[in-house]
Structures are given as C-alpha cells and as structure tokens.
Amino acid sequence: MQEDNLVEYRNPGIALPVADALTEVLRRGASTLLQQAVEAEVAEYVAQYLELKDELGRQRVVRNGHLPERRVQTGIGEVTVKAPRVRDRGGELKFSSSILPPYLRRTRSLEELLPWLYLKGLSTGDFSSALTALLGKDAPGLSANTISRLKEVWKSEYEQWSKRNLSGKEYVYIWADAVYFGVRLEDARQCILVIIGATAAGKKEVVGITDGYRESAESWKEMLLALKQRGLIIDPKLAIGDGGLGFWKALPQVFGTTRVQRCWKHKTANVLNYLPKALQAKAKAHLNEIVMGESRAAADQALDRFLLSYEAKYPKATECLAKDREVLLTFYDFPALHWEHIRTTNPIESTFSTVKLRTAKTRGCVSRAGMLAMVFKLTKTAEQKWRTLKGYKLLAQVVRGVKFKDGLQEEAHQVAA
C-alpha cells in the first residue's frame, strides 16, 4: 500500500465528509464491473460442462438464479453484488468463485489498511469509528471483536510463514537491518530484525522477520541459523547492511563465503555526525564523489582527498570513514547496473520509513507477537510492489562466479583496456 493511498485519520469522534458524487460514481462503476466479472466467471464454468447430461438428457450444469445480494467493503466504500448460483443436477460438482469467495466481506486493500491504522495508534475499539470516517457509512463486521480476530489471523499467518521450507532457495544479494518503531513495546531493548533477498531472477523477497535483543550478534546468528536449518544452504554472494549491526559478527559463522558491503547511507550519516553543521553540506558532496566514482581507483582517490581535507581538524570523522574503506567499496566487484541497489540498505529503509516516521505511540503497550504480525503484514504488502533489480540478467553471471572489475565483466574490461 502506498503512503499516499492512506487517508490520515485524525479524530475518531468527527465524521469526515467523504460520500461525494465522484465517490458514488466510482462505487457504482466498481459494483457493475464486479458483477460483470462474476457473471463471466460463471458463464465460463458452465461452458466447460456443456457435454455433461443427466439421466433425462438435460444439461447437467446450469445457471440457477442468484444468491442474495452481498455487500463488500472496499477502499472506496461499500459495493453491492449478487453472486450467480450454479446447479449440478448430478450433485457432484460444486462451483466456487475465485473472484468472490463465499465468505468475502471486505477486499484485500481494506484488510491492508487495518494494520496501518493499528500501527498509527488506534486502539481496537476505535477501528469502527475510524473506518466509518474513512469509508462513509457503517463498516459492518468491523467491530472491536472482528479486529481482534483479524490480528490473531495475522499472527497465525506470520507463524506459518516463519516456518516455511526454504529448500532450493537462493538469494544472490541480501539486505539486513534492525528496525525500531515509535510504539511502546513489552521490552524497549528489543527491535525487529529484517532480511530481504534478491533471487537470481532479480525479484526481491522478504527472507526473514523476527524480534531481537537490540542488534546483538546472538540474535542475528539465531535468525541466520534458523534460515539455514529450514533449507537456505547456499551462501548469498553479497550482504548489505549498516556497520553497527551485530549481523557482521554472526554472518561468517553461518554463511562463510558471503562478501560484505556496508551501507553508504548509514556511513554518510555517521561521518557527518562528527562534523559541524556548517561543514556538513560540503562534506556530503565530497562523500558523494567517493560513492559515485566510475571506478574503484576514482573512489580511492576521492576517499584519500576526503581524509586529507578533514583529518587534521576532525579525526573522528575521517577515522569513521577510513576504518571501513574496503567494505564500503565492495560494490565495484559487482555489475555496475546493480550498484544503485547494493550500495545501501534502501530496500529495507524505503519499506519501513513510512511506518517509522508516521506511527504514534499507542495508548497501550504493544505485544511482541502483535508487533511482529503487523510488521509481517505490512512488509508482505509492500513486497507485492517491489521492482525487479535493474540488470537482473547479470545475476546469473554473479551466481556462476564470473568476476567483475569496476562494474564490468573482467574479460570485457581487459579487452576495453
């Protein structure tokens, strides 16, 4: 769900005027399209069995009117539809709509809205009034008890997902980060550990989500070992993350051949913290010269210039940069088309930035299980919109162990030279 699609809810006690003429037109149009879709689905189903006859020679599978009108809650309000009824005179076949399942009462987009509202600080009891303000009339079935049941469903979905079999999975790149949220948790020392991976086809997927004790190596090792025990036995080619993570101590103990790329976004912020504000814009431009260098040699030269310019007056800033020199420039050994993806932990940062910035403290303490369920639900929703990596066809070469220098395949690089 994009942030712009979420109407910010400000006051549960004040109904907002959302039932305008345009919304009514959209609702009617949606209702018509939905009705047409289910009618077409039934017609196709009946056509599959035209040859089937009953004992009297009649067509066995036939239309049989409609079920009672059903109201479905959507992101633009309530939409009505009558599901066609299908009869099998032989009593063996039973039609079930994939478009309009028997118990569907709200669309997936609305279900995605609920965890956002929860994380924004609404208590369970406020959901009904909040959704009334957002969607217009009463939102039937969205009582406090219904929301509580939905949260239990999300917890169950997370538990099943966290135990899924990973045999045969391979991730070329993985991004790791520890995410903190602006809500009160049972243990303030705990955070959410997240790993996102890129497959050989360039598709980004959520690999792991769990809670950890701050960003400790023990928590990360436990998470990585769990992934390996469930079948993720192929070492990723590259791991990207913030330098402050205990992840880096745990990684070689589980995936010994995975190379390291430190996040430039985090490193830039850390270096600038050691400089006075008056110098930060200029220093950031100098740091960008390093990370945007066309070659490893150009980046090394820019890095040396930065150290020479700032080390006399700001030794902590230059030490912060110099100590991670090698792992900051690892990306030059991978395809240039992948650099924008692997220089930072942006796949994680962009997914969670909206949640971290917009969540307010809830009136009660959020349980660990509840928080994990919400994060899981939001992340899986975001996953559906993640873009394929640029230059994804080159991932096959990375998997095969083809060497790259300054973003180019070594053989091609030598010919060009």
Side-chain angles (χ1 to χ4, degrees), residues 156-216:
S156 176
E157 289 177 355
Y158 167 74
E159 288 298 325
Q160 294 178 18
W161 176 84
S162 64
K163 297 175 182 177
R164 73 199 186 285
N165 189 343
L166 295 174
S167 299
K169 296 292 293 186
E170 180 177 6
Y171 295 102
V172 186
Y173 304 137
I174 58 172
W175 295 264
D177 205 357
V179 184
Y180 295 85
F181 294 91
V183 294
R184 286 177 287 168
L185 302 175
E186 292 172 333
D187 187 341
R189 295 169 296 179
Q190 292 180 304
C191 60
I192 306 298
L193 307 182
V194 181
I195 294 178
I196 291 173
T199 68
K203 182 182 178 181
K204 286 180 285 187
E205 299 178 351
V206 187
V207 180
I209 299 175
T210 189
D211 53 353
Y213 186 83
R214 290 198 181 275
E215 303 174 24
S216 70

Side-chain angles (χ1 to χ4, degrees), residues 153-278:
V153 170
W154 297 332
K155 290 178 186 178
S156 176
E157 289 177 355
Y158 167 74
E159 288 298 325
Q160 294 178 18
W161 176 84
S162 64
K163 297 175 182 177
R164 73 199 186 285
N165 189 343
L166 295 174
S167 299
K169 296 292 293 186
E170 180 177 6
Y171 295 102
V172 186
Y173 304 137
I174 58 172
W175 295 264
D177 205 357
V179 184
Y180 295 85
F181 294 91
V183 294
R184 286 177 287 168
L185 302 175
E186 292 172 333
D187 187 341
R189 295 169 296 179
Q190 292 180 304
C191 60
I192 306 298
L193 307 182
V194 181
I195 294 178
I196 291 173
T199 68
K203 182 182 178 181
K204 286 180 285 187
E205 299 178 351
V206 187
V207 180
I209 299 175
T210 189
D211 53 353
Y213 186 83
R214 290 198 181 275
E215 303 174 24
S216 70
E218 292 78 9
S219 295
W220 280 110
K221 184 178 180 180
E222 182 179 347
M223 181 182 190
L224 292 173
L225 283 173
L227 295 174
K228 196 162 192 175
Q229 290 166 359
R230 299 208 319 273
L232 189 61
I233 59 176
I234 303 175
D235 289 10
K237 298 298 182 181
L238 183 69
I240 305 99
D242 176 16
L245 297 176
F247 174 79
W248 301 118
K249 183 177 179 181
L251 179 67
Q253 300 178 54
V254 183
F255 298 116
T257 66
T258 301
R259 298 188 64 187
V260 173
Q261 171 64 49
R262 293 290 173 81
C263 173
W264 267 101
K265 182 177 179 179
H266 286 90
K267 178 57 67 176
T268 297
N270 293 338
V271 171
L272 295 180
N273 281 339
Y274 290 112
L275 297 172
K277 288 186 177 180

Side-chain angles (χ1 to χ4, degrees), residues 84-97:
R85 193 196 306 268
V86 177
R87 178 187 177 191
D88 174 20
R89 292 189 172 106
E92 297 176 2
L93 300 175
K94 184 177 181 180
F95 171 73
S96 180
S97 172

Side-chain angles (χ1 to χ4, degrees), residues 168-174 197-203 234-238 257 259 333-335 338 389 391-404 409:
K169 296 292 293 186
E170 180 177 6
Y171 295 102
V172 186
Y173 304 137
I174 58 172
T199 68
K203 182 182 178 181
I234 303 175
D235 289 10
K237 298 298 182 181
L238 183 69
T257 66
R259 298 188 64 187
D333 295 337
F334 291 85
H338 299 170
L389 266 63
Y392 68 90
K393 293 182 180 179
L394 293 170
L395 288 166
Q397 298 182 30
V398 177
V399 170
R400 293 200 308 269
V402 173
K403 301 296 183 183
F404 288 81
Q409 189 175 336

